[in-house]
């Protein structure tokens, strides 16, 4: 009896040992979510390539204006890099921009009298160069306030000879007061917790008094009418250079574009830093004659009418026909090298994909990185992509129901602090559970939105189509106050620890969505908000992006 019991015990122990070994091997092959998160953290923080990627996008290929050779070259580099990391199907995907590209190759400007000094400025995009060095006197031109057509005609007639061959300072310098209460660089943790708490009681918002809009005068022209006629007047009058005031503190300059994208319709145009603009304006106001000299070399790129989105994939396994996407916009304005807007977003998303390929994780669904172009001109690249590949709720393609979410980063270098997803509260709950293990990195959770409004950034191209676009709320750092669209948007403004942690969070979230049995829950047909028509303004207004 004792021998039999001992034998049975030995058999049981052998069986248990065999089961334990099999379980251990299986666990190594299919690690639990916590183990994967730990691996992702380690790879993101110890072997990161994200700053190298930002270096290439900014120092080597910046600036990256839509339609420019630099933007295409940046996309080609990203295709090569993603392929080297082990991603598949990396390519440039064309779409019709409809305007030629444009680059500024060189620009210099000086005060030559009554003093001698260099000027700090940026060239307005899609404007002509000076065709060599031009010299001339500076003159002020202050348009009448809210003119009628007759008043504007009279003003032009009065000033036509005054501006011929001159350097025209358009308008008074903007007063830029000292900011004694600069905004915080981090989002307050308690405020963030309340914002992303689905059970939080909404806080009453302070009521702002309505802004008093002046009543339009009979026959008053609108901004577009005045702007178009002013462009033609300056061109017909032979103005040498148009000079706009940057109107920002500490030498910051934002230079956007000629609204027509047609260099033949405008004169050479620059945006001068507020400090230089004010100096010349005061000299003129004091009765001094001011002489200036400029050499502006711009070039139009005919082939820029075709622009490109950059795509790369980690191909899935049993659910490879379904797709989870992540991305940011690769195009940038030309005043700097486009680091925080938005090389950083592209680099974070590429890094998230690199982490997953390096760890040899095999997602069930295909994970697709997309680096957009044309974002700064109105989300054009992502809109074209969504329309082609997924359609919309009202006119879906065959792949519409196979889409599982798009993560977007486009608010600077700050850490990911929360997610906003188009869908139901249940949609947000899934994301909230996925990012919960990264609370120590500062991410507070997820909330849902039902807005199909287009604007802000590329995730809203998906929202507008009725698909789960996921906007990432980030710490502001210096984004809206210093770097957004300005001449100081450079590599130096990147916070390395923040972008590494954001890459880890995104990598984990994307992977978990790619492994779930079901796609993110969608709004029911009867819950889908009506589609709002209209597109964002081509030239962004200086207001913060919001994760709608």
């Amino acid at each position: 009896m004792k021998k039999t019991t001992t034998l049975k015990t030995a058999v049981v122990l052998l069986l248990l040992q065999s089961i334990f070994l099999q379980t251990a091997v299986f666990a190594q092959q299919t690690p639990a979510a916590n183990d994967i998160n730990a691996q992702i953290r380690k790879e993101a923080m110890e072997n990161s390539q994200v700053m190298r990627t930002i270096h290439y996008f900014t120092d080597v290929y910046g600036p990256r204006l839509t339609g420019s050779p630099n933007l295409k070259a940046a996309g080609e580099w990203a295709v090569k890099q993603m392929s080297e990391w082990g991603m598949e199907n990396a390519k440039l995907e064309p779409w019709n921009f409809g305007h030629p590209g444009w680059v500024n190759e060189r620009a210099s400007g000086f005060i030559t009298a009554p003093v001698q000094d260099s000027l700090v400025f940026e060239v307005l995009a899609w404007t002509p160069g000076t065709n060599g060095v031009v010299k001339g006197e500076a003159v002020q031109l202050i348009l009448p306030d809210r003119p009628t057509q007759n008043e504007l005609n009279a003003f032009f007639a009065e000033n036509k000879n005054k501006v011929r061959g001159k350097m025209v300072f358009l308008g008074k310098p903007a007063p830029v007061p000292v900011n004694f209460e600069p905004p915080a660089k981090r989002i307050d943790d308690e405020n963030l917790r309340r914002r992303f708490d689905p059970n939080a009681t909404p806080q009453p918002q302070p009521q702002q008094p309505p802004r008093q809009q002046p009543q339009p005068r009979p026959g008053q022209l609108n901004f577009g009418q005045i702007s178009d006629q002013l462009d033609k007047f300056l061109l017909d009058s032979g103005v040498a250079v148009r000079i706009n005031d940057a109107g920002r503190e500490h030498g910051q300059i934002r230079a956007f574009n000629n609204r027509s994208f047609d260099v033949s319709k405008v004169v050479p145009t620059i945006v001068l830093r507020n400090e230089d603009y004010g100096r010349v304006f005061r000299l003129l106001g004091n009765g001094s004659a001011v002489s200036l000299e400029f050499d502006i070399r711009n070039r139009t790129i005919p082939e820029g009418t075709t622009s490109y989105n950059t795509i790369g994939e980690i191909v899935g396994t049993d659910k490879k026909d379904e797709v989870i996407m992540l991305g940011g916009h690769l195009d940038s304005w030309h005043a700097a090298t486009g680091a925080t807007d938005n090389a950083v977003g592209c680099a974070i998303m590429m890094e998230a994909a690199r982490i997953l390929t390096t760890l040899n994780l095999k997602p069930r669904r295909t994970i697709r990185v997309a680096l957009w172009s044309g974002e700064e001109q109105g989300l054009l690249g992502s809109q074209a992509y969504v329309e082609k590949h997924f359609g919309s709720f009202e006119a879906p393609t065959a792949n519409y129901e196979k889409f599982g979410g798009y993560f977007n980063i486009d608010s600077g270098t700050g850490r990911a602090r929360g997610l906003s997803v188009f869908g139901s509260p249940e949609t947000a709950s899934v994301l909230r559970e996925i990012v919960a293990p990264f609370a120590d990195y500062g991410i507070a959770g997820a909330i849902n939105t039902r807005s199909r409004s287009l604007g802000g950034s590329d995730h809203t191209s998906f929202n507008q189509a009725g698909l789960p676009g996921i906007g990432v709320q980030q710490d502001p750092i210096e984004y809206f106050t210093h770097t957004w669209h300005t001449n100081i948007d450079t590599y130096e403004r990147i916070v390395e620890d923040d972008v590494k942690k954001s890459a880890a969070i995104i990598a984990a979230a994307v992977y978990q969505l790619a492994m779930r049995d079901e796609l993110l829950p969608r709004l029911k047909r009867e819950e889908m908000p009506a589609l709002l028509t209209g597109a964002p303004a081509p030239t962004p207004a200086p207001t913060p992006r919001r994760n709608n």
Side-chain angles (χ1 to χ4, degrees), residues 246-534:
R248 296 184 63 81
E249 65 181 358
H250 305 312
Q252 294 178 25
I253 301 171
R254 285 177 176 164
F256 296 125
N257 62 280
N258 158 31
R259 297 187 309 139
S260 71
F261 294 89
D262 185 345
V263 298
S264 69
K265 292 185 176 181
V266 291
V267 299
T269 304
I270 68 164
V271 183
L272 187 63
R273 70 174 176 177
N274 181 254
E275 294 84 350
D276 286 343
Y277 195 97
R279 181 186 188 185
V280 173
F281 205 86
R282 289 187 294 273
L283 287 169
L284 292 172
N286 196 41
S288 299
V290 179
S291 297
L292 305 177
E293 175 185 310
F294 288 98
D295 184 6
I296 301 171
R297 305 181 192 183
N298 301 332
R299 182 162 58 96
T300 298
I301 314 296
E303 60 271 25
T305 53
T306 298
S307 194
Y308 301 88
N309 296 320
T310 304
I311 307 298
E313 293 183 336
I314 303 172
V315 177
T317 54
D318 62 310
K319 292 180 176 289
K320 66 181 179 181
D321 58 332
E322 297 178 351
V323 61
I324 310 297
M325 293 187 66
L326 65 164
H329 71 88
L330 189 54
D331 66 301
S332 73
W333 287 111
H334 56 290
T337 56
T340 67
D341 191 19
N342 184 33
V344 67
C346 294
I348 286 170
M349 298 317 199
M350 284 178 61
E351 175 70 3
R354 184 201 67 80
I355 291 168
L356 300 180
T357 57
T358 299
L359 296 177
N360 200 30
L361 297 174
K362 304 296 182 183
R364 300 177 69 187
R365 294 180 179 86
T366 293
I367 294 172
R368 184 179 300 157
V369 174
L371 313 180
W372 312 112
S373 56
E375 192 274 351
E376 297 292 7
Q377 288 71 45
L379 317 183
L380 301 181
S382 57
Q383 285 189 74
Y385 185 90
V386 170
E387 181 179 1
K388 175 182 177 180
H389 291 272
F390 303 113
S392 67
F393 176 76
E394 290 75 15
T397 69
N399 291 323
Y400 186 83
E401 295 298 335
K402 298 177 181 180
F403 178 78
Y406 165 74
F407 291 83
N408 189 79
I409 280 189
D410 185 21
S411 290
T413 188
R415 270 182 298 165
R417 303 298 305 277
L419 307 176
S420 175
V421 59
F422 178 81
S424 65
E426 291 74 23
T427 315
S429 293
V430 172
L431 293 173
R432 192 177 304 116
E433 292 173 7
I434 285 173
V435 300
F438 290 86
D440 61 312
Y441 278 5
I443 192 161
I447 55 175
N448 72 299
T449 176
R450 294 174 185 255
S451 172
R452 294 180 72 181
S453 296
L454 185 68
S457 194
D458 291 295
H459 60 288
T460 65
S461 294
F462 293 84
N463 295 1
Q464 186 189 54
L467 295 167
I470 304 165
V472 179
Q473 171 77 57
Q474 297 166 252
D475 278 325
I477 311 298
E478 300 169 330
Y479 186 60
F480 296 118
T481 57
H482 293 76
T483 65
W484 180 42
H485 297 162
T486 75
N487 55 324
I488 58 173
D489 186 10
T490 63
Y491 180 97
E492 287 75 15
R493 305 279 67 80
I494 301 300
V495 180
E496 183 172 352
D497 186 68
D498 279 25
V499 297
K500 286 179 177 179
K501 287 176 177 174
S502 291
I505 292 168
I506 296 297
V510 166
Y511 179 73
Q512 294 302 326
L513 282 192
M515 295 300 291
R516 296 180 76 247
D517 289 336
E518 303 295 334
L519 290 168
L520 274 175
R522 300 266 192 95
L523 291 174
K524 298 181 175 62
R525 176 166 293 275
E526 61 274 14
E527 297 174 332
M528 183 65 67
L531 177 63
L532 300 176
T533 58

Side-chain angles (χ1 to χ4, degrees), residues 63-306:
R64 304 172 306 278
L65 193 64
T66 298
S68 70
N70 273 16
L71 177 60
K72 186 179 180 184
E76 290 169 341
W77 177 84
V79 165
K80 181 175 181 291
Q81 185 61 80
M82 287 190 286
S83 298
E84 289 177 357
W85 286 341
M87 299 175 67
E88 301 179 54
N89 304 322
K91 62 182 180 179
L92 297 184
E93 184 171 310
W95 61 276
N96 182 27
F97 178 41
H99 304 293
W102 178 94
V103 293
N104 167 243
E105 296 178 332
R106 183 178 298 180
S108 60
F110 308 93
I111 300 178
T112 57
V115 295
Q116 294 189 13
D117 206 348
S118 298
L119 297 171
V120 179
F121 64 92
E122 298 294 337
V123 179
L124 198 74
W126 284 279
T127 58
T130 56
N131 195 26
V133 175
V134 293
K135 302 177 181 180
E137 293 183 3
V139 297
Q140 303 168 347
L141 191 66
I142 301 174
L143 290 171
D145 183 38
R146 302 187 297 154
T148 64
Q149 187 64 65
N150 288 339
E151 291 168 340
L152 189 61
N153 290 343
F155 175 81
F156 287 157
E158 179 184 352
N159 288 278
K160 185 170 185 177
N161 293 330
K162 173 184 173 182
V163 301
R164 184 168 299 278
K166 300 297 195 301
M167 313 292 186
V168 175
F169 281 67
L170 197 70
K172 298 178 181 179
V176 183
V178 173
N179 186 356
F180 288 101
E181 296 180 358
K185 291 178 170 56
R186 298 284 188 196
I187 303 173
D188 178 78
D189 289 342
E190 182 58 26
N191 289 338
L192 196 75
R193 185 192 65 77
R194 285 198 299 267
R195 177 176 181 185
F196 287 94
D197 181 357
N199 301 313
T201 303
Q203 298 295 309
Q205 298 297 316
Q207 294 296 316
Q208 298 292 334
R211 294 181 62 183
Q212 296 296 322
Q213 298 290 342
Q215 290 296 318
R217 301 164 55 207
Q220 177 186 324
L221 300 174
N222 62 38
F223 172 80
Q225 292 169 324
I226 296 170
S227 181
D228 289 343
Q229 293 185 58
L230 176 62
D231 287 342
K232 187 175 187 305
F233 165 73
L234 297 176
L235 190 63
D236 293 345
S237 301
V239 167
V241 177
R242 172 178 172 170
I243 302 169
N244 298 334
D245 177 19
R248 296 184 63 81
E249 65 181 358
H250 305 312
Q252 294 178 25
I253 301 171
R254 285 177 176 164
F256 296 125
N257 62 280
N258 158 31
R259 297 187 309 139
S260 71
F261 294 89
D262 185 345
V263 298
S264 69
K265 292 185 176 181
V266 291
V267 299
T269 304
I270 68 164
V271 183
L272 187 63
R273 70 174 176 177
N274 181 254
E275 294 84 350
D276 286 343
Y277 195 97
R279 181 186 188 185
V280 173
F281 205 86
R282 289 187 294 273
L283 287 169
L284 292 172
N286 196 41
S288 299
V290 179
S291 297
L292 305 177
E293 175 185 310
F294 288 98
D295 184 6
I296 301 171
R297 305 181 192 183
N298 301 332
R299 182 162 58 96
T300 298
I301 314 296
E303 60 271 25
T305 53
T306 298

Side-chain angles (χ1 to χ4, degrees), residues 1-9:
M1 187 76 174
K2 187 175 180 181
K3 287 183 179 181
T4 303
T5 302
T6 303
L7 182 61
K8 286 181 179 179
T9 301

